[in-house]
Amino acid sequence: MTNRERMELRRVFIAGTIQGANAGLRIDDQGYREQIAVLVRARFPEAECFDPSAGVTRQLADPTTMSVIGELIGDVPPVLDLGSLPAELAALRATFNEMTREAAKCDLCVAFLPGRTLSMGTAMEMQAAFSAGVPVVAVTSLVDNLAVMSVSSWVARDLDALAGLLDGLRETSVPLPGQGHGEDRALAGDAAG
């Protein structure tokens, strides 16, 4: 690959599970978002780390929204018309879609899917970034997952491997988005040592 330039990160989208495959309304620990932000800011101090979970989790924590979701979970109709959702759920849905679109407005998307965690929302964020030509780093061991491998620029095994990859992005030139694909990018855990 000869078309390379130094990566400048002004805005990094931090994707990852909020509810994942949890039943009901349980929200996963969101502490990983700050861990990733710390890693990014240590290497790219001017970068904004965009956290799409804040608005979504705030709405999910609202007692009225929780009650409406609880009622829906308790009595799911055979066909659910999403055009006639209660206002609280329509607002939550709009926020989720708005936050997902933000992935396309960033310079890098870091998607945290530890171990074998699956998350439909994270997959949507990764696809939004990929479709806009934004490089995607998946922090996961899901190298056998077609969705992850199809939209990721790099796969880092864990946060330590992500740190090594970010060091490399800061210190060297990288392929421009759309230049090269998964087949010519090493698993970050191997490249980072």
Side-chain angles (χ1 to χ4, degrees), residues 34-44 159-160 162-163 166:
E34 183 56 30
Q35 291 177 297
I36 292 170
V38 166
L39 292 175
V40 169
R41 287 190 203 111
R43 290 148 182 91
F44 299 93
L159 292 176
D160 288 337
L162 173 63
L166 291 171

Coordinates of all heavy atoms in Angstrom, one line a residue, residues 34-44 159-160 162-163 166:
E34 N -14.7 5.2 29.2 CA -13.7 6.1 29.8 C -12.3 5.5 29.6 O -11.4 6.3 29.3 CB -14.0 6.5 31.2 CG -13.0 7.5 31.8 CD -13.0 8.8 31.1 OE1 -13.9 9.2 30.4 OE2 -11.9 9.4 31.1
Q35 N -12.2 4.2 29.8 CA -10.9 3.6 29.6 C -10.4 3.8 28.1 O -9.2 4.2 27.9 CB -11.0 2.1 29.8 CG -11.2 1.7 31.3 CD -11.3 0.2 31.4 OE1 -12.2 -0.4 30.9 NE2 -10.4 -0.4 32.1
I36 N -11.3 3.7 27.2 CA -10.9 3.9 25.8 C -10.6 5.4 25.6 O -9.6 5.8 24.9 CB -12.0 3.4 24.8 CG1 -12.0 1.9 24.9 CG2 -11.7 3.9 23.4 CD1 -13.2 1.3 24.1
A37 N -11.4 6.3 26.1 CA -11.1 7.7 26.0 C -9.8 8.1 26.6 O -9.0 8.9 26.0 CB -12.2 8.5 26.7
V38 N -9.4 7.5 27.7 CA -8.1 7.8 28.3 C -7.0 7.4 27.4 O -6.0 8.1 27.1 CB -8.0 7.1 29.7 CG1 -6.5 7.1 30.2 CG2 -8.9 7.8 30.7
L39 N -7.1 6.2 26.8 CA -6.1 5.7 25.8 C -6.0 6.6 24.6 O -4.9 6.9 24.2 CB -6.5 4.3 25.3 CG -6.4 3.1 26.4 CD1 -6.9 1.8 25.7 CD2 -5.0 3.0 26.9
V40 N -7.1 7.1 24.1 CA -7.1 7.9 22.9 C -6.5 9.3 23.3 O -5.6 9.8 22.6 CB -8.5 8.1 22.4 CG1 -8.6 9.3 21.3 CG2 -9.1 6.8 21.8
R41 N -6.9 9.9 24.4 CA -6.4 11.2 24.7 C -4.9 11.2 25.1 O -4.3 12.2 24.9 CB -7.2 11.8 25.9 CG -8.6 12.2 25.5 CD -9.3 13.0 26.6 NE -10.8 12.9 26.4 CZ -11.6 12.2 27.1 NH1 -11.2 11.6 28.2 NH2 -12.9 12.2 26.8
A42 N -4.4 10.1 25.6 CA -3.0 10.0 25.9 C -2.2 10.1 24.7 O -1.0 10.5 24.7 CB -2.7 8.7 26.7
R43 N -2.7 9.7 23.5 CA -2.0 9.7 22.3 C -2.4 10.8 21.3 O -1.6 11.3 20.5 CB -2.2 8.3 21.6 CG -1.4 7.3 22.4 CD -2.2 5.9 22.3 NE -1.4 4.9 23.1 CZ -1.7 4.7 24.4 NH1 -2.6 5.4 25.0 NH2 -1.0 3.8 25.0
F44 N -3.6 11.2 21.4 CA -4.2 12.3 20.6 C -4.9 13.3 21.5 O -6.1 13.3 21.6 CB -5.2 11.7 19.6 CG -4.5 10.7 18.6 CD1 -4.6 9.4 18.9 CD2 -3.9 11.1 17.5 CE1 -4.0 8.4 18.1 CE2 -3.4 10.2 16.6 CZ -3.4 8.9 16.9
L159 N -7.8 -4.1 25.3 CA -7.4 -2.7 25.4 C -5.9 -2.5 25.3 O -5.5 -1.4 24.9 CB -8.0 -2.1 26.7 CG -9.6 -2.0 26.7 CD1 -10.0 -1.5 28.1 CD2 -10.1 -1.1 25.6
D160 N -5.1 -3.4 25.8 CA -3.7 -3.3 25.7 C -3.3 -3.3 24.2 O -2.4 -2.5 23.8 CB -2.9 -4.4 26.4 CG -3.0 -4.3 27.9 OD1 -3.2 -3.1 28.4 OD2 -2.8 -5.3 28.6
L162 N -5.2 -2.4 21.8 CA -5.7 -1.1 21.2 C -4.7 0.0 21.5 O -4.4 0.8 20.6 CB -7.1 -0.8 21.9 CG -7.6 0.6 21.5 CD1 -7.9 0.8 20.0 CD2 -8.9 0.9 22.3
A163 N -4.2 0.0 22.7 CA -3.1 1.0 23.1 C -2.0 0.9 22.1 O -1.5 2.0 21.6 CB -2.7 0.8 24.5
L166 N -3.0 2.3 18.7 CA -3.1 3.8 18.8 C -1.7 4.4 18.8 O -1.5 5.5 18.1 CB -3.9 4.3 20.0 CG -5.4 4.0 20.0 CD1 -6.0 4.3 21.4 CD2 -6.1 4.7 18.9

